[in-house]
mmCIF file with all atom_site columns, all heavy atoms in Angstrom:
data_model
loop_
_atom_site.group_PDB
_atom_site.id
_atom_site.type_symbol
_atom_site.label_atom_id
_atom_site.label_alt_id
_atom_site.label_comp_id
_atom_site.label_asym_id
_atom_site.label_entity_id
_atom_site.label_seq_id
_atom_site.pdbx_PDB_ins_code
_atom_site.Cartn_x
_atom_site.Cartn_y
_atom_site.Cartn_z
_atom_site.occupancy
_atom_site.B_iso_or_equiv
_atom_site.pdbx_formal_charge
_atom_site.auth_seq_id
_atom_site.auth_comp_id
_atom_site.auth_asym_id
_atom_site.auth_atom_id
_atom_site.pdbx_PDB_model_num
ATOM 1  N N   . ASP A 1 177 ? -57.761 41.203 -78.026 1.00 0.00 ? 177 ASP A N   1
ATOM 2  C CA  . ASP A 1 177 ? -56.871 41.269 -79.175 1.00 0.00 ? 177 ASP A CA  1
ATOM 3  C C   . ASP A 1 177 ? -56.384 42.704 -79.382 1.00 0.00 ? 177 ASP A C   1
ATOM 4  O O   . ASP A 1 177 ? -57.170 43.654 -79.303 1.00 0.00 ? 177 ASP A O   1
ATOM 5  C CB  . ASP A 1 177 ? -57.614 40.771 -80.420 1.00 0.00 ? 177 ASP A CB  1
ATOM 6  C CG  . ASP A 1 177 ? -56.747 40.818 -81.666 1.00 0.00 ? 177 ASP A CG  1
ATOM 7  O OD1 . ASP A 1 177 ? -55.837 39.984 -81.786 1.00 0.00 ? 177 ASP A OD1 1
ATOM 8  O OD2 . ASP A 1 177 ? -56.994 41.711 -82.501 1.00 0.00 ? 177 ASP A OD2 1
ATOM 9  N N   . VAL A 1 180 ? -58.236 44.844 -81.980 1.00 0.00 ? 180 VAL A N   1
ATOM 10 C CA  . VAL A 1 180 ? -59.577 45.242 -81.515 1.00 0.00 ? 180 VAL A CA  1
ATOM 11 C C   . VAL A 1 180 ? -59.458 46.307 -80.431 1.00 0.00 ? 180 VAL A C   1
ATOM 12 O O   . VAL A 1 180 ? -60.199 47.295 -80.429 1.00 0.00 ? 180 VAL A O   1
ATOM 13 C CB  . VAL A 1 180 ? -60.353 44.015 -80.986 1.00 0.00 ? 180 VAL A CB  1
ATOM 14 C CG1 . VAL A 1 180 ? -61.699 44.451 -80.414 1.00 0.00 ? 180 VAL A CG1 1
ATOM 15 C CG2 . VAL A 1 180 ? -60.562 43.000 -82.094 1.00 0.00 ? 180 VAL A CG2 1
ATOM 16 N N   . LEU A 1 181 ? -58.521 46.108 -79.513 1.00 0.00 ? 181 LEU A N   1
ATOM 17 C CA  . LEU A 1 181 ? -58.346 47.048 -78.407 1.00 0.00 ? 181 LEU A CA  1
ATOM 18 C C   . LEU A 1 181 ? -57.952 48.433 -78.907 1.00 0.00 ? 181 LEU A C   1
ATOM 19 O O   . LEU A 1 181 ? -58.389 49.446 -78.358 1.00 0.00 ? 181 LEU A O   1
ATOM 20 C CB  . LEU A 1 181 ? -57.275 46.532 -77.435 1.00 0.00 ? 181 LEU A CB  1
ATOM 21 C CG  . LEU A 1 181 ? -57.632 45.290 -76.626 1.00 0.00 ? 181 LEU A CG  1
ATOM 22 C CD1 . LEU A 1 181 ? -56.474 44.920 -75.697 1.00 0.00 ? 181 LEU A CD1 1
ATOM 23 C CD2 . LEU A 1 181 ? -58.893 45.498 -75.825 1.00 0.00 ? 181 LEU A CD2 1
ATOM 24 N N   . ARG A 1 182 ? -57.127 48.468 -79.936 1.00 0.00 ? 182 ARG A N   1
ATOM 25 C CA  . ARG A 1 182 ? -56.676 49.758 -80.463 1.00 0.00 ? 182 ARG A CA  1
ATOM 26 C C   . ARG A 1 182 ? -57.862 50.595 -80.951 1.00 0.00 ? 182 ARG A C   1
ATOM 27 O O   . ARG A 1 182 ? -57.958 51.796 -80.673 1.00 0.00 ? 182 ARG A O   1
ATOM 28 C CB  . ARG A 1 182 ? -55.675 49.541 -81.596 1.00 0.00 ? 182 ARG A CB  1
ATOM 29 C CG  . ARG A 1 182 ? -54.928 50.815 -81.990 1.00 0.00 ? 182 ARG A CG  1
ATOM 30 C CD  . ARG A 1 182 ? -53.942 50.553 -83.112 1.00 0.00 ? 182 ARG A CD  1
ATOM 31 N NE  . ARG A 1 182 ? -52.951 49.546 -82.747 1.00 0.00 ? 182 ARG A NE  1
ATOM 32 C CZ  . ARG A 1 182 ? -52.884 48.337 -83.306 1.00 0.00 ? 182 ARG A CZ  1
ATOM 33 N NH1 . ARG A 1 182 ? -53.751 47.997 -84.230 1.00 0.00 ? 182 ARG A NH1 1
ATOM 34 N NH2 . ARG A 1 182 ? -51.964 47.491 -82.930 1.00 0.00 ? 182 ARG A NH2 1
ATOM 35 N N   . SER A 1 183 ? -58.786 49.937 -81.644 1.00 0.00 ? 183 SER A N   1
ATOM 36 C CA  . SER A 1 183 ? -59.965 50.643 -82.153 1.00 0.00 ? 183 SER A CA  1
ATOM 37 C C   . SER A 1 183 ? -60.936 50.988 -81.034 1.00 0.00 ? 183 SER A C   1
ATOM 38 O O   . SER A 1 183 ? -61.518 52.070 -81.008 1.00 0.00 ? 183 SER A O   1
ATOM 39 C CB  . SER A 1 183 ? -60.674 49.780 -83.207 1.00 0.00 ? 183 SER A CB  1
ATOM 40 O OG  . SER A 1 183 ? -59.809 49.490 -84.285 1.00 0.00 ? 183 SER A OG  1
ATOM 41 N N   . LEU A 1 184 ? -61.095 50.050 -80.100 1.00 0.00 ? 184 LEU A N   1
ATOM 42 C CA  . LEU A 1 184 ? -62.042 50.247 -79.004 1.00 0.00 ? 184 LEU A CA  1
ATOM 43 C C   . LEU A 1 184 ? -61.606 51.363 -78.073 1.00 0.00 ? 184 LEU A C   1
ATOM 44 O O   . LEU A 1 184 ? -62.389 52.267 -77.742 1.00 0.00 ? 184 LEU A O   1
ATOM 45 C CB  . LEU A 1 184 ? -62.210 48.938 -78.218 1.00 0.00 ? 184 LEU A CB  1
ATOM 46 C CG  . LEU A 1 184 ? -63.127 48.975 -76.993 1.00 0.00 ? 184 LEU A CG  1
ATOM 47 C CD1 . LEU A 1 184 ? -64.563 49.260 -77.416 1.00 0.00 ? 184 LEU A CD1 1
ATOM 48 C CD2 . LEU A 1 184 ? -63.043 47.659 -76.226 1.00 0.00 ? 184 LEU A CD2 1
ATOM 49 N N   . THR A 1 185 ? -60.350 51.309 -77.642 1.00 0.00 ? 185 THR A N   1
ATOM 50 C CA  . THR A 1 185 ? -59.872 52.280 -76.657 1.00 0.00 ? 185 THR A CA  1
ATOM 51 C C   . THR A 1 185 ? -59.686 53.670 -77.242 1.00 0.00 ? 185 THR A C   1
ATOM 52 O O   . THR A 1 185 ? -59.676 54.654 -76.506 1.00 0.00 ? 185 THR A O   1
ATOM 53 C CB  . THR A 1 185 ? -58.536 51.811 -76.030 1.00 0.00 ? 185 THR A CB  1
ATOM 54 O OG1 . THR A 1 185 ? -57.571 51.593 -77.079 1.00 0.00 ? 185 THR A OG1 1
ATOM 55 C CG2 . THR A 1 185 ? -58.734 50.520 -75.261 1.00 0.00 ? 185 THR A CG2 1
#
Side-chain angles (χ1 to χ4, degrees):
D177 180 73
V180 176
L181 291 181
R182 193 180 301 112
S183 301
L184 178 65
T185 56

